[in-house]
Amino acid sequence: MTKPHHAHSSHSQHSSSQHSKSSSKTHAPAVARIAVYWNFEYLHVALGQQHPNVQHRLAYRVNIGAVVRGLAALGRVHLHRAYANWTQLQHYSNDLQQHDIEAIQLFYRPVWPIYEQAQHNPPVAVGNGAALRISVDLMDDLHQQQIDTIVLIG
């Protein structure tokens, strides 16, 4: 008498596992669509701000690959843009291309906010131009694209 009961419980376990398998196929979780915006000038300046010599500051590099690997855990990157005056940061060109990051060129006059005391030669162009451009592009992208997650790096 115990054997039929055991067979019945085995059958119910089997049917519930089949139900789980079939329901997981129909209800697969959606992968988040991510928009990533890098304020690269602020990011780069922050890395090397302790060095008074501009040449030493330019030697510091953002580890783009490490950030991109971290982003992969969040979902699929749909938009990937980096904003800067790339004439001063040309050494990132290969990294940006390798990781399929669109480089947005910003042109504006050099300014010397807090960094004036460091006597940069040539002057470092740091302002809020990138932040303003990112804000405008982000709003446009939200209206034109299907984006689930926004990542701001800077």
Side-chain angles (χ1 to χ4, degrees), residues 18-104:
Q18 279 184 337
H19 179 69
S20 304
K21 288 179 185 175
S22 66
S23 64
S24 67
K25 288 180 184 175
T26 57
H27 300 292
V31 175
R33 292 171 54 106
I34 303 169
V36 182
Y37 303 88
W38 301 67
N39 186 336
F40 222 91
E41 288 184 347
Y42 276 125
L43 186 60
H44 190 77
V45 167
L47 278 178
Q49 70 183 359
Q50 300 303 317
H51 290 283
N53 184 318
V54 168
Q55 297 308 320
H56 286 134
R57 286 183 186 201
L58 292 177
Y60 278 86
R61 293 184 59 99
V62 175
N63 188 342
I64 295 172
V67 175
V68 169
R69 285 188 296 277
L71 291 169
L74 299 175
R76 186 176 73 81
V77 175
H78 179 65
L79 294 171
H80 208 166
R81 298 184 182 139
Y83 297 76
N85 182 349
W86 295 107
T87 58
Q88 296 179 5
L89 300 172
Q90 294 172 356
H91 55 284
Y92 285 105
S93 179
N94 289 337
D95 289 340
L96 295 172
Q97 290 174 15
Q98 178 183 357
H99 297 289
D100 200 26
I101 301 172
E102 181 182 3
I104 306 296

Side-chain angles (χ1 to χ4, degrees), residues 117-132:
Q117 302 86 358
Q119 300 174 351
H120 293 127
N121 191 12
V124 177
V126 177
N128 60 359
L132 292 172

